[in-house]
């Protein structure tokens, strides 16, 4: 048997692993202390939790007719945000695609603004627009518009960067200008992807608009908050079930449509 | 412009940013209505030569004139006008598979129709008529409303030819138009190009790899090697010895379309 090579030294890797474990442990202790995590409190309050669950079941089935209107409002907020946002996102996506953008500075500026938009959570935008147009569904729709612009333009510009640029050259060879090139070669190639991102944004927005309701943007989230603060937990359960069903239904429909597109 | 040729290369050079010399001081006159075939090894500069005619590559020395107009000094609108007058046909067709055949052919009218009309799909009647005429010339009228991606390779290439025709060009530039096609389809496409050249008198430049096709269809053959003109003669006169000179080696089965049929 030929001589085996010596096994590589393991000490370094072991040290690194130990350091990583210690670091995560330290991080956990630090955070737990900071927010007052207490197992004692958790267990001594299990009784209260039991009562809460008791109050929540059975769900207040008869409450559902009063949920239709607010739920529709939640959907309307999501739809407006998705449509306005997607319309704005398309030209921005074209300008933000390196291979197609007509001007370097415009491309750069657009990219950076989009990055800033994306780092802000939708709740932040809801608060911002609430102070501008007042709390309510409209502020919610505006917040989701910004959120949609950020998501859809980013994804679409990446799709545009991956299209076949040789087709673009064929339009230019026929004497086409920039806009004609975009219209006859960029858009036909990128449109199915774009539509699929719009549907994806709609899924995200239906969920987000429910949460925005909790902070006063109207819709089903607002009803949920009212019932919770008045301790009507059986109604809360009913709302959660209802929202769960509708969100799932929309996601399934949208996912099926997207599968057909691409 | 009775006096000037359709295309004139005057010491035309193209040096790519990488430093590669694609075209080296080419001097050449192409008279109106000629069908000229350009042959040469891969990398000899055939594509560069055609793309210098419509300004898709930057001419770095000398100039090319199309109908007396300088390509090198054309910018913006003038350059788009110049390109509109030269229909280009590509080896890989370059048609948009998701658009209909008719829409692809209408792309040949982009320089002649206001952009806003194109964007809302309100093409003038004359332009739609012209697109149908062009499709008729390549025998594809019945496929006008089919998605281009559903056609066979040979049909897609003929859509590419119809798009070039729809430009009502004075020049057609075909860059290896049959390199992706089988022998039978190749001949069909070459026949189309020759018929168009003869019926409409459009000056036609075709890059070809296969030497027997070149001999069969060319009125004149141009040989390129390393960006330089190394052969210029009538299609019928060219001999195997000439090809050996252009290619720097003897002909092989790969250089002949007939041999491909046996494969
Ligand atoms: N865009 C480009 N950038 C740099 N070099 C290029 C480019 N296009 C072609 N070349 C080079 O120029 C030479 C001629 O190429 P080309 O005109 O495509 O030849 P052919 O069409 O005869 O095969 C080759 O050496 C090729 O590598
Ligand atoms: Mg080539």
């Amino acid at each position: 048997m030929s001589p085996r090579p010596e096994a590589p030294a393991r000490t370094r890797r072991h040290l690194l692993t130990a350091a990583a474990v210690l670091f995560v442990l330290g991080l956990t202790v630090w955070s737990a202390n900071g927010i007052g995590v207490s197992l004692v409190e958790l267990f001594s309050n299990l009784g209260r939790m039991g009562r809460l669950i008791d109050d929540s079941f059975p769900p207040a089935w008869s409450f559902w007719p009063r949920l239709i209107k607010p739920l529709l409002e939640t959907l309307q907020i999501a739809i407006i945000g998705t449509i306005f946002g997607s319309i704005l996102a398309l030209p921005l996506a074209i300008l933000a695609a390196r291979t197609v953008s007509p001007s370097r500075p415009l491309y750069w500026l657009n990219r950076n603004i989009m990055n800033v938009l994306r780092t802000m959570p939708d709740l932040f935008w809801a608060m911002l627009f609430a102070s501008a147009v007042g709390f309510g569904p409209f502020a919610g729709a505006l917040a989701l518009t910004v959120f949609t612009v950020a998501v859809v333009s980013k994804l679409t510009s990446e799709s545009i960067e991956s299209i076949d640029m040789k087709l673009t050259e064929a339009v230019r060879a026929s004497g086409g200008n920039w806009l004609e090139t975009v219209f006859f070669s960029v858009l036909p190639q990128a449109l199915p992807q774009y539509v699929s991102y719009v549907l994806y944004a709609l899924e995200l927005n239906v969920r987000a608009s429910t949460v925005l309701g909790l902070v006063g943007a109207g819709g089903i989230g607002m009803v949920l908050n009212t019932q919770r603060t008045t301790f009507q937990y059986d109604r809360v359960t009913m709302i959660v079930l209802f929202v769960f069903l509708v969100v799932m239904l929309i996601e399934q429909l949208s996912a099926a449509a997207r599968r057909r597109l691409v | 412009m009775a006096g000037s040729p359709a295309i004139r290369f005057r010491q035309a050079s193209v040096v790519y940013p990488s430093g590669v010399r694609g075209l080296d001081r080419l001097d050449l006159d192409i008279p109106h209505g000629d069908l000229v075939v350009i042959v040469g090894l891969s990398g000899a500069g055939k594509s560069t030569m055609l793309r210098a005619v419509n300004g898709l590559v930057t001419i770095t020395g000398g100039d090319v004139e199309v109908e007396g107009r300088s390509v090198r000094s054309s910018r913006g609108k003038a350059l788009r006008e110049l390109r509109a007058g030269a229909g280009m046909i590509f080896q890989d067709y370059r048609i948009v598979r998701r658009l209909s055949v008719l829409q692809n052919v209408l792309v040949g009218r982009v320089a002649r129709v206001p952009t806003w009309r194109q964007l809302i799909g309100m093409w003038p009647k004359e332009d739609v008529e012209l697109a149908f005429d062009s499709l008729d010339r390549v025998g594809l009228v019945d496929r006008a409303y089919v998605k281009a991606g559903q056609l066979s390779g040979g049909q897609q290439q003929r859509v590419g030819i119809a798009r070039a025709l729809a430009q009502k060009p004075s020049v057609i530039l075909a860059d290896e138009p049959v390199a992706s096609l089988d022998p039978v389809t190749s001949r069909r496409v070459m026949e189309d190009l020759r018929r168009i050249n003869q019926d409409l008198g459009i000056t036609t430049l075709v890059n070809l790899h296969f030497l027997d096709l070149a001999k069969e269809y060319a009125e004149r053959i141009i040989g390129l090697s390393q960006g330089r003109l190394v052969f210029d003669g009538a299609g019928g006169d060219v001999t195997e010895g000439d090809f050996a000179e252009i290619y720097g080696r003897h002909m092989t089965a790969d250089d002949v379309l007939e041999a491909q049929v046996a494969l």
Side-chain angles (χ1 to χ4, degrees):
Chain A
M1 199 162 134
S2 47
R4 293 186 183 182
E6 213 169 308
R10 290 227 193 120
T11 38
R12 213 180 106 80
R13 233 183 52 217
H14 282 218
L15 266 176
L16 272 176
T17 312
V21 169
L22 273 179
F23 178 72
V24 173
L25 261 177
L27 212 56
T28 311
V29 171
W30 176 70
S31 305
N33 273 333
I35 63 171
V37 170
S38 152
L39 290 182
V40 179
E41 212 169 302
L42 182 66
F43 284 114
S44 61
N45 279 324
L46 272 184
R48 197 146 44 123
M49 206 118 96
R51 226 176 319 124
L52 185 69
I53 291 173
D54 223 36
D55 287 347
S56 306
F57 286 95
W61 300 112
S62 58
F63 192 52
W64 74 267
R66 283 169 62 187
L67 297 180
I68 305 263
K69 232 182 122 215
L71 189 80
L72 287 181
E73 189 172 63
T74 293
L75 293 183
Q76 285 161 346
I77 295 170
I79 287 169
I80 290 297
T82 306
I83 291 177
F84 282 12
S86 301
I87 290 172
L88 290 171
L90 189 58
L92 289 171
I94 294 167
L95 298 180
R98 193 174 28 77
T99 44
V100 175
S101 188
S103 126
R104 212 41 27 172
L106 205 62
Y107 156 77
W108 188 87
L109 191 75
N110 189 7
R111 266 273 146 122
N112 283 289
I113 292 176
M114 288 301 140
N115 281 335
V116 172
L117 286 192
R118 231 181 341 270
T119 48
M120 304 288 186
D122 42 11
L123 271 176
F124 167 86
W125 295 110
M127 299 295 182
L128 199 75
F129 286 117
S131 42
V133 300
F135 273 103
F138 187 44
L142 287 178
L144 292 185
T145 300
V146 177
F147 176 68
T148 306
V149 167
V151 171
V152 174
S153 75
K154 162 85 172 169
L155 292 171
T156 307
S157 74
E158 275 167 11
S159 286
I160 291 177
E161 281 178 358
S162 70
I163 63 165
D164 182 0
M165 290 302 286
K166 288 178 181 166
L167 292 185
T168 308
E169 195 184 68
V171 182
R172 276 197 294 132
S174 292
N177 59 27
W178 181 81
L179 199 56
E180 289 155 356
T181 307
V182 167
F183 194 72
F184 288 108
S185 112
V186 176
L187 288 187
Q189 289 186 75
L191 226 42
Q193 295 273 335
Y194 166 73
V195 175
S196 135
Y197 297 143
V198 171
L199 286 171
Y200 173 61
L202 179 68
E203 292 171 35
L204 296 180
N205 283 344
V206 170
R207 255 176 290 162
S209 96
T210 309
V211 176
L212 289 183
L214 290 175
V215 299
I220 192 93
M222 202 135 100
V223 181
L224 181 77
N225 205 33
T226 315
Q227 303 309 321
R228 189 187 61 82
T229 45
T230 53
F231 307 111
Q232 317 228 38
Y233 292 117
D234 53 344
R235 290 181 166 184
V236 170
T237 318
M238 186 61 220
I239 296 171
V240 171
L241 275 176
F242 206 64
V243 169
F244 171 76
L245 269 176
V246 171
V247 169
M248 213 174 66
L249 188 73
I250 288 176
E251 288 199 356
Q252 291 299 317
L253 286 176
S254 158
R258 285 196 282 134
R259 269 197 303 276
R260 272 161 189 274
L261 268 168
V262 187
Chain B
M1 286 272 181
S4 64
I7 306 170
R8 166 170 282 170
F9 293 83
R10 287 199 295 115
Q11 289 284 301
S13 295
V14 173
V15 179
Y16 286 107
S18 61
V20 173
R21 203 167 262 285
L23 203 60
D24 195 0
R25 286 161 293 171
L26 183 67
D27 264 316
L28 197 64
D29 278 3
I30 316 260
H32 287 100
D34 264 18
L35 194 156
V36 177
V37 169
I38 299 133
V39 296
L41 288 171
S42 171
K46 305 181 295 293
S47 297
T48 306
M49 179 178 160
L50 292 198
R51 296 157 68 85
V53 176
N54 61 4
L56 282 181
V57 295
T58 308
I59 299 166
T60 53
D63 204 349
V64 179
E65 285 164 11
V66 182
E67 305 292 343
R69 280 182 301 178
S70 154
V71 176
R72 197 176 176 186
S73 53
S74 296
R75 302 259 183 294
K77 183 116 180 67
L79 182 60
R80 292 201 298 275
E81 280 292 316
L82 196 138
R83 286 175 177 164
M88 192 160 211
I89 296 159
F90 303 87
Q91 171 179 349
D92 49 1
Y93 326 136
R94 304 204 182 168
I95 59 173
V96 184
R97 303 167 62 85
R98 281 207 188 85
L99 295 182
S100 74
V101 167
L102 183 64
Q103 282 173 310
N104 270 286
V105 177
L106 281 169
V107 168
R109 301 304 298 162
V110 283
R112 300 276 172 256
V113 172
T115 306
W116 68 267
R117 295 197 74 133
Q118 301 171 30
L119 299 195
I120 58 174
M122 275 189 49
W123 294 88
K125 221 171 138 235
E126 315 88 82
D127 295 272
V128 177
E129 280 306 306
L130 190 54
F132 270 108
D133 282 351
S134 307
L135 276 175
D136 201 16
R137 294 222 171 252
V138 295
L140 284 175
V141 173
D142 57 323
R143 315 313 302 274
Y145 297 107
V146 174
K147 267 204 179 142
Q150 290 175 2
L151 302 187
S152 69
Q155 289 174 324
Q156 291 190 26
Q157 187 57 297
R158 275 145 58 206
V159 173
I161 294 175
R163 175 179 61 195
L165 273 183
Q167 290 176 224
K168 282 199 160 259
S170 66
V171 173
I172 282 184
L173 309 166
D175 193 357
E176 310 231 15
V178 301
S180 309
L181 302 175
D182 65 75
V184 176
T185 319
S186 291
R187 284 191 186 280
R188 171 81 219 263
V189 166
M190 285 308 296
E191 295 290 346
D192 277 344
L193 283 175
R194 175 154 71 185
R195 199 161 28 77
I196 287 160
N197 167 258
Q198 286 172 353
D199 292 358
L200 304 176
I202 302 174
T203 311
T204 305
L205 300 190
V206 189
N207 288 349
L208 278 185
H209 182 79
F210 296 118
L211 302 172
D212 50 343
L213 269 193
K215 237 172 112 78
E216 188 177 337
Y217 289 97
E219 293 169 24
R220 180 180 175 190
I221 291 184
I222 300 289
L224 289 185
S225 174
Q226 297 183 6
R228 275 195 294 270
L229 183 79
V230 294
F231 182 86
D232 183 356
D237 301 344
V238 65
T239 64
E240 279 207 20
D242 294 327
F243 281 132
E245 205 135 298
I246 299 167
Y247 278 47
R249 60 169 168 75
H250 285 288
M251 281 175 70
T252 66
D254 277 347
D255 303 327
V256 187
L257 182 68
E258 279 315 313
Q260 310 296 305
V261 184
L263 292 181

